[in-house]
Structures are given as C-alpha cells and as structure tokens.
Amino acid sequence: MSEKLAAEGGPRARTTPFPTVGDASGRDLGEEELALLTEVIRSGCLSRHGGTMVPAFEAEFGARYGVRHCLAVTSGTAALHTAVGALGLNPGDEIITTTVTDMGTVIAILMQNCLPIFCDVDRRTMNLNPALLPSLITERTRAIIAVHLFGQPCDLDAVMAVAREHGLVVIEDCAQAHGAEWGGRLVGTIGDLGCFSLQQSKQITTGDGGAVITNNDELGEAARLFHDKYYDRSGANRGVLRLGANYRMTELQGAVALAQTRKLDRILARRRSTGELLTERLREIEGTVPPWLHEKARHSYWIYPFQIAEEVLGCPVVEFTAAIQAEGLPWGTGYAGGIPICLYPALREHRAYGDSAFPWEPPYGRNVEYREEDYPETVWAQRNTLVMNWNEGLTETDVQDMARGMAKVAAHYRARGPAPAPAI
Ligand SMILES: Cc1ncc(COP(=O)(O)O)c(C=O)c1O
C-alpha cells in the first residue's frame, strides 16, 4: 500500500519551507559584503569613475575567466545589450537565439533594432538544438545568442562550428550559468563574448547587475564605450562617437559583486553537491527522469529541472506537479511563462516601437511570423519539465525530504495505474 498523498488528506512530506534565493535563507550574503560596502560609503565616491570596487570586481571576475576584458554593467539585460551594441549591426540584421530564455535576451536584440529569430530546443535540456541553426540562417544573420539554460551549457561545439562556417558572432548568454563548464572550459570564454547576470536569483548577486567578458580587444573596447554613453574619454574633449547607453555599475553594486565573486567557488560547490545528490535519488525513483546532462557539460544549478515518465506513472505531469506541491515541494512546470518566448504578445504581434511594426517591416527588416507549430519541442518541454530555483542554502536533509516526497507521489501513481478515463 502506498502512503496517502497530502493532496488527499495525508501527512505532508515536508512541513517547513525550503531556503529560497529571495532572502537570506538561500543566499551567501554577509560580513564580507558589508565590509566592502562600508569602505565605499566612507570613500564618498559611489560612481565607477573614480571608484575602486567596480575596477576590482572587473579584475577579479575577468581573472577567474582568464579573459582580457571584463566590463561590469547594471543587469544581465544590459550586458547582452552592450554585447549586441558592440557589434555595430544595422537595423534589420538578424540574430538567432533560443525559444526558452528570459526576455532580457530578446530585449538586447530589439533595442539594437535587430530581428530575433528563434531556434527550437532539445527537449531533454531545453537548450537550443544546434542541428536546426543552419535552416534559420539568412543573408542578414549576423550573430547567435547561445543561452545556457538553468546552468547547463548548450552544445557549444555544434554552435561554434555553425557560427564559424557562416561567419557569425557568438554571444554566450551565461546569465544562469556562472561557473558552468563545457569540455572543461568555463562558459562565457568559448564564444566571442560572454554575458552574465547578477540579478537576485543568480548564483552570485548584487540584486541587479551584470558583466560582459571577451578576449577580443576590439569588441572589449566597443563594449566599454557603449555602456558609458559612447563617450570617448581618451582626449581632453569628450566626444560621443555613436549611440550608446548608460549601463555603468555603481560602486555599491561593485562592492557586493566583488565579495560575491570571491565566494563563487563555495556557492557552486554547495549547489552542485545538493543538485547531484537529488539526481542520485531521482535515479532510484521509477517514473522520474533526472536532468539529462551532455557528457561535456558541467552544470552550475541555477534551476534544478527534471521530467517524469507519464507512461510509467500513469498520471499527467500537471497532476504529479500538484501532488508534489501539496507535499510541500516547490516545483512548478515550464519556464518564463511556459511558452516559446516568441509567442509573448509583443513579439508575436511585432509591437516594439509605437504603432509601427519596426524592425519587423521593410525596408529595414522582414515580416517574420512566430508560430507555435514551428517550435514543437519547446511546447513539449515547457509542459513536461518541472523546475525549482536551486540555492546554496539547501542541505542534504532538504534534498532527502524532496526525494522522499517525490518517491511517495511516484509510488502512489504507480500503484494506482493509469487514471480512469473521464466520464462523458
Ligand atoms: C538567460 C537569461 N538571459 C538574460 C537575463 C536577463 O538578466 P537580468 O534579469 O539581470 O536583466 C536573464 C535573467 O533572468 C536570463 O535568465
């Protein structure tokens, strides 16, 4: 006999909340950040121009990644916009990215008046499927924004091969993937530019913040100019060379970013040990499918995703999700709205600038239609992937509670057999 589900009035597998990235319970913030913040306040200089924390953060973050250029910015969206801005593209140029990402990836493309073109995903990882890239390339394609979703690298060997063959720039969107590795190399260092987010939920955080890294001197210089209003500060007279933005990180963010960077190794170690433990436990539970990991990928667990085998459990994923939620396990299904991102109304209906359809209209761009039927794997994966924000506050006991709750729910459905057909 299986245990009675909490959803049916039985005891919950977990009665206390888990640590969360939304507050101190799941974050590694403390004295180190406070000490550097105090230094900033005492210095009286809160701006990166004249300050010391932002340059120190750039130096240490850049050194971690072994890159020549690291630029601190105000968000992951700003990092991506700066990276796209550094490319000097023309309105209507096309940039390919994935159907499963945060809107920040797409904002970066549209803010430079370029067209986002969306690539369907591999249903196992929800990362873009590089086999589809060649079919999306046109004479206007200039770049690929390769997103490493949930902390797992996308297939960078395949992405880089397509990009090099077609002369495209690769921007790695590492917003969710601090410290993730592909073939032993840190993500962000394999493409032409790497972009990071320091938003509240990320592996390291400043509330909001971001960074751009590159080994390309020209792109590094263009990014620095772009994020600082494109002011040429090299001479006596400050000239503006072209259109840029103000994405300068403040010293207050810089202080926290520096302290967080110094903690990244221990944060990743905690996330990985609990993430890997849950994977071990899920392997033992018939009917649950732990995250599929490419042999070259090393995960950094921003989100812990898993799937279920409906045919083994005989219950739809929505029912399983509701049942584990009732047990006190905070997993939901799908990411960022649970649809291909290009089906957000603003994108599907081409609403970016006023009443116009710019940049999706001639003479600059073209009328690209975003249709659900073009992204079948995304639709499947969004419906069938369960996700929970992972964090460094989670303990082995927390993971054992999760596994116990999932084992209980899975056993219940296996014992019940296929759900009875609804009465007509
Ligand atoms: C994949 C991805 N790209 C871009 C962003 C944008 O970053 P931010 O929220 O810091 O602007 C995020 C943030 O969630 C993200 O997850």
Side-chain angles (χ1 to χ4, degrees), residues 42-54:
R42 293 221 165 101
S43 79
C45 175
L46 306 191
S47 162
R48 75 155 295 144
H49 290 306
T52 57
M53 292 296 167
V54 175

Side-chain angles (χ1 to χ4, degrees), residues 74-80 98 100-107 145-150 173-177 195-202 207-210 302 335:
T74 49
S75 69
T77 306
L80 287 155
T98 168
V100 186
T101 186
D102 177 78
M103 190 59 193
T105 315
V106 184
I107 290 171
I145 301 185
V147 177
H148 306 306
L149 198 77
F150 300 156
D173 181 342
C174 313
Q176 305 181 1
C195 296
F196 295 83
S197 165
L198 298 169
Q199 175 267 342
Q200 174 72 33
S201 68
K202 299 303 172 359
D208 271 310
W302 179 61
Y335 176 68

Side-chain angles (χ1 to χ4, degrees), residues 286-300:
E286 200 186 334
T288 62
V289 183
W292 182 84
L293 206 56
H294 191 286
E295 59 186 12
K296 291 187 103 173
R298 184 152 189 235
H299 212 299
S300 65

